[in-house]
Amino acid sequence: MAAPSQPQKSTYDVIVIGAGIQGSFTAYHLAQRQKDTLLLEQFLLPHSRGSSHGQSRIIRSAYPQEYYSRMMPDCFRLWQQLEAETGTTLYRQTGLVVLGPPGEPELEACRRSLGVEFLDAAALAKRFPGFQLQAGQVAMLDNTAGVLFADRALRAAQEVFRRHGGTLRDGEKVLRIEPGATVTVTTTAGVYKAPRLIITAGAWTGAFVEQLGLRLPLQPLRIDVCYWREKQPGSAGLGSVSPCFLTLGLSQAPHGIYGLPSIEYPGLMKVCHHHGSPIDPEKRDQIPSSAPRPDIGVLSSFISSYLPGLETQPAVRETCLYTNTPDEDFILDRHPKFSNIVIGAGFSGHGFKLAPMVGKLLCELSLGEEPSYDLSHFAITRFPGVLGAA
């Protein structure tokens, strides 16, 4: 962040809008390429208004889609590099249990990507007594998986960005973007210019790109992040040494349920439904606490059946924002009309672990380099009719 006495500079090589984990890693890679980079954030840091706050996220190699699982070795390597650069622990290996009905296509794809065998209910209960599979269901174990310390990771990426000469300005809301060979960005505190712009503004991205004649199918969702108390503190299989878990293909939870061990709050396990209610991000905090929360019922029912060592009502409830695309794949692409404007959006609740590589890909796109991975799955053109009048 700019010191109060520092003269405010107005021209940069690249401007990045949005200092969540995706924007911060994008800026991190740009600064390491010696690009004079400005990272803008509308809220004062740290904040809990977007998608990158909180203490924990799951990192895993198991992915049904090959285009994500192929990136994960590089992601693990880049997370380790950030740990080394900051001398900070950002990851705890816990393993991940993936469970669901046999024959479920995504579960089978995960198993093939890892090359592991399925466990039945008895084998899983022996390994992790806290989990209780239902009759006929199976599970697999991803030993590489674990917990990323999210708040710490975000600060670490921003620290290295600044160390390499980057400028981070928070508390500056972007008011207007004017495209051209030189892009002009007007904020509540100044006017900045750069030949390249990258937009990683989470749930606010849709409004920004509408200024640029683009209507992306981005749906912000308000997610309940719930923590559930152990009936007996330190009970077997539910403490800080238990694995993360993820469900695929359960009829009672079509969007999936995931859980993390009691790292954030001692004695409380984080269990969440991978779904939420549509929300205007500007009105996120205006929903009364008494509003219906149907996802809580889904989670309570799941916990009764699968995690009997937990109380069936959440002890702590927090919120987070997802910004979903219709297919839940990311958008990583140049603007169809303005090739010097790059967009990273629609991370659909599963982007945090991939942020080191997402940042690298957005950096490469902005600099006109050949991307490290095939980006056809993340193209804007997969959605018809998005380009309107600017």
Side-chain angles (χ1 to χ4, degrees), residues 192-215:
Y192 308 99
K193 295 178 182 290
R196 304 175 186 88
L197 172 69
I198 302 173
I199 301 173
T200 52
W204 288 265
T205 299
F208 284 132
V209 299
E210 277 192 13
Q211 296 180 37
L212 304 169
L214 204 55
R215 289 192 178 87

Side-chain angles (χ1 to χ4, degrees), residues 44-341:
L44 292 172
L45 293 170
H47 72 83
S48 58
R49 302 288 301 277
S51 304
S52 296
H53 65 283
Q55 295 180 53
S56 63
R57 297 291 190 281
I58 293 174
I59 183 169
R60 56 188 162 105
S61 296
Y63 247 110
Q65 301 90 347
E66 188 196 2
Y67 43 92
Y68 292 120
S69 62
R70 240 185 347 223
M71 293 183 195
M72 285 314 302
D74 276 338
C75 288
F76 276 102
R77 179 182 57 78
L78 287 167
W79 280 116
Q80 289 165 357
Q81 178 180 306
L82 183 61
E83 284 185 317
E85 287 172 321
T86 57
T88 306
T89 300
L90 302 177
Y91 162 69
R92 178 183 296 175
Q93 187 172 359
T94 64
L96 170 78
V97 172
V98 187
L99 58 96
E104 203 285 326
E106 290 196 335
L107 188 63
E108 288 286 350
C110 284
R111 186 193 64 78
R112 286 194 301 271
S113 75
L114 289 179
V116 298
E117 297 301 319
F118 283 130
L119 305 173
D120 61 14
L124 184 66
K126 184 175 180 181
R127 187 83 179 264
F128 302 114
F131 286 94
Q132 186 171 288
L133 275 186
Q134 302 306 291
Q137 293 180 347
V138 294
M140 50 164 278
L141 185 61
D142 176 354
N143 284 309
T144 70
V147 176
L148 288 170
F149 302 124
D151 284 342
R152 200 184 297 176
L154 183 61
R155 287 195 303 270
Q158 292 169 356
E159 176 192 326
V160 176
F161 166 64
R162 289 197 298 259
R163 196 189 297 167
H164 283 82
T167 301
L168 172 53
R169 301 190 67 88
D170 63 349
E172 286 199 36
K173 186 177 178 67
V174 172
L175 303 175
R176 189 166 64 255
I177 299 168
E178 298 167 57
T182 298
V183 182
T184 302
V185 177
T186 302
T187 75
T188 48
V191 178
Y192 308 99
K193 295 178 182 290
R196 304 175 186 88
L197 172 69
I198 302 173
I199 301 173
T200 52
W204 288 265
T205 299
F208 284 132
V209 299
E210 277 192 13
Q211 296 180 37
L212 304 169
L214 204 55
R215 289 192 178 87
L216 295 179
L218 297 172
Q219 178 59 69
L221 298 175
R222 185 178 189 265
I223 307 297
D224 285 307
V225 180
C226 300
Y227 300 82
W228 310 75
R229 192 178 307 282
E230 298 172 7
K231 290 177 180 175
Q232 295 182 345
S235 56
L238 293 176
S240 59
V241 295
S242 69
C244 302
F245 74 85
L246 175 69
T247 74
L248 292 172
L250 296 187
S251 58
Q252 66 267 49
H255 300 282
I257 291 172
Y258 65 92
L260 294 86
S262 54
I263 290 173
E264 298 178 48
Y265 301 108
L268 302 183
M269 192 171 183
K270 182 177 180 178
V271 183
C272 308
H273 192 202
H274 195 78
H275 191 58
S277 307
I279 186 76
D280 177 344
E282 295 290 351
K283 299 177 181 177
R284 169 183 170 173
D285 299 323
Q286 296 176 20
I287 296 179
S289 57
S290 59
R293 299 281 183 84
D295 292 328
I296 304 293
V298 171
L299 291 169
S300 295
S301 174
F302 174 84
I303 283 167
S304 295
S305 300
Y306 291 83
L307 295 165
L310 298 180
E311 301 285 355
T312 57
Q313 289 300 313
V316 176
R317 284 193 327 204
E318 298 172 352
T319 60
C320 186
L321 290 183
Y322 287 3
T323 305
N324 280 31
T325 61
D327 57 14
E328 297 191 5
D329 282 330
F330 309 159
I331 292 171
L332 308 174
D333 204 353
R334 297 183 182 91
H335 190 291
K337 284 179 69 175
F338 310 115
S339 61
N340 60 341
I341 297 177

